[in-house]
Amino acid sequence: MTFSVIGRDPATGDLGIAVSSCILAVGRVVPAVRPGVGVVAVQARSRRGLGGTLLAGLSEGSSPADLVRRAAHAAEDVDRQIAVLDVTGRVAADTGRGSLPVSGHLVGDGFSVQGNMLASADVLPAMSQAFTATGGGLADRLLAALTAGQDAGGDLRGRQSAALQVVGGAPASSDDDGVLLDLRVDDSGDPVAQLRMLRNLQRAYDERDYETLAVFAPEGARDLYAALAASRRGDRAGARSALEAMRARPGWSAWLASMAGDSRVSGMSRLLD
């Protein structure tokens, strides 16, 4: 009923998972992630709580292979599908004999793809090839694999939800929870495409791509980003027009006054003086 990919970036140590399914809010069900520990995918008829149990095993020093082997011999988990990746890149997966067809998994160097009730046997090879062939950061490689799986047929029953999570290789602390990316599409006719759009929007926020945000940010904030974008390119008239539109919105004048010390806002204001 689901297809997913888990992986590690050997350059950064980041860990992540991308998943899609024809169920509501798959991001609540399949992924289990913990910074500095590992990533787990629990699919098919897996019991609730198995992901947390597997992460606990990783944190206690068990290897992915040992954890998968134990689950494979547990009677209550005969119908489940699991994949486990630890912080060093060791990975193991298993598809229970009671999982729904077409089902299976493929394990590679620091990653694994798995799925059940797939539209065709081409889904998993396509995902594996895309993950290994795609450049860039881990989030983009995970998304490329998920997209390839969907293009090859994906879930036999259709499409509803998708999720993408990336965490750091270092344990969470009081200053940093270690979560680098956590995006979810809970109900959509094309959740993988929607997830790609959210990833691009998140990138725009992270990189302060004001030109993109001026188009795709929520309506109330677009004028702010339009003003910042115009200020950055030296367009005094464009910045003034966007700033005036922003000030006309209820509450924004007070917000601008409160942000007087922000270098981006003050720089924009100086351009308009």
Side-chain angles (χ1 to χ4, degrees):
M1 295 180 281
T2 302
F3 57 103
S4 69
V5 51
I6 60 174
R8 176 180 181 270
D9 186 334
T12 64
D14 295 343
L15 309 164
I17 179 172
V19 57
S20 185
S21 182
C22 185
I23 64 169
L24 181 69
V26 69
R28 167 66 180 85
V29 180
V30 168
V33 300
R34 188 176 301 172
V37 176
V39 180
V40 173
V42 291
Q43 300 175 184
R45 299 187 179 96
S46 296
R47 56 188 170 86
R48 299 294 292 272
L50 180 57
T53 298
L54 293 170
L55 280 180
L58 288 179
S59 67
E60 293 165 0
S62 297
S63 71
D66 286 343
L67 292 170
V68 167
R69 190 178 304 112
R70 291 174 206 161
H73 288 90
E76 65 269 27
D77 294 325
V78 68
D79 294 338
R80 56 88 195 100
Q81 184 176 51
I82 57 175
V84 182
L85 172 72
D86 74 5
V87 71
T88 69
R90 295 181 298 178
V91 62
D94 185 72
T95 300
R97 62 181 181 273
S99 294
L100 299 167
V102 172
S103 300
H105 58 273
L106 296 173
V107 174
D109 184 11
F111 77 96
S112 174
V113 297
Q114 43 282 324
N116 59 85
M117 207 167 183
L118 300 172
S120 79
D122 297 330
V123 173
L124 297 181
M127 294 177 68
S128 178
Q129 194 278 333
F131 184 83
T132 56
T134 300
L138 180 60
D140 298 316
R141 298 179 68 197
L142 293 169
L143 263 179
L146 200 68
T147 299
Q150 183 61 72
D151 290 345
D155 191 320
L156 175 66
R157 302 164 305 154
R159 315 172 183 185
Q160 187 167 16
S161 63
L164 172 64
Q165 297 182 41
V166 178
V167 299
S173 68
S174 58
D175 296 322
D176 185 356
D177 65 3
V179 178
L180 304 178
L181 196 65
D182 188 355
L183 300 175
R184 302 184 183 190
V185 178
D186 288 343
D187 184 20
S188 170
D190 196 349
V192 176
Q194 184 75 12
L195 193 64
R196 289 199 305 271
M197 187 198 75
L198 291 177
R199 165 58 180 153
N200 290 333
L201 186 58
Q202 180 69 64
R203 195 198 317 272
Y205 279 111
D206 292 342
E207 298 177 358
R208 296 185 178 180
D209 180 358
Y210 300 137
E211 298 286 356
T212 296
L213 293 173
V215 177
F216 295 105
E219 180 181 359
R222 288 178 197 166
D223 294 326
L224 169 63
Y225 293 119
L228 289 168
S231 175
R232 177 177 284 176
R233 63 177 181 267
D235 179 1
R236 186 185 299 269
R240 185 180 299 278
S241 176
L243 186 59
E244 289 174 351
M246 180 170 51
R247 283 174 171 161
R249 294 182 178 276
W252 278 91
S253 290
W255 180 86
L256 279 170
S258 72
M259 293 293 290
D262 187 286
S263 60
R264 292 165 296 174
V265 176
S266 61
M268 178 177 62
S269 298
R270 284 195 300 270
L271 182 66
L272 300 180
D273 292 338

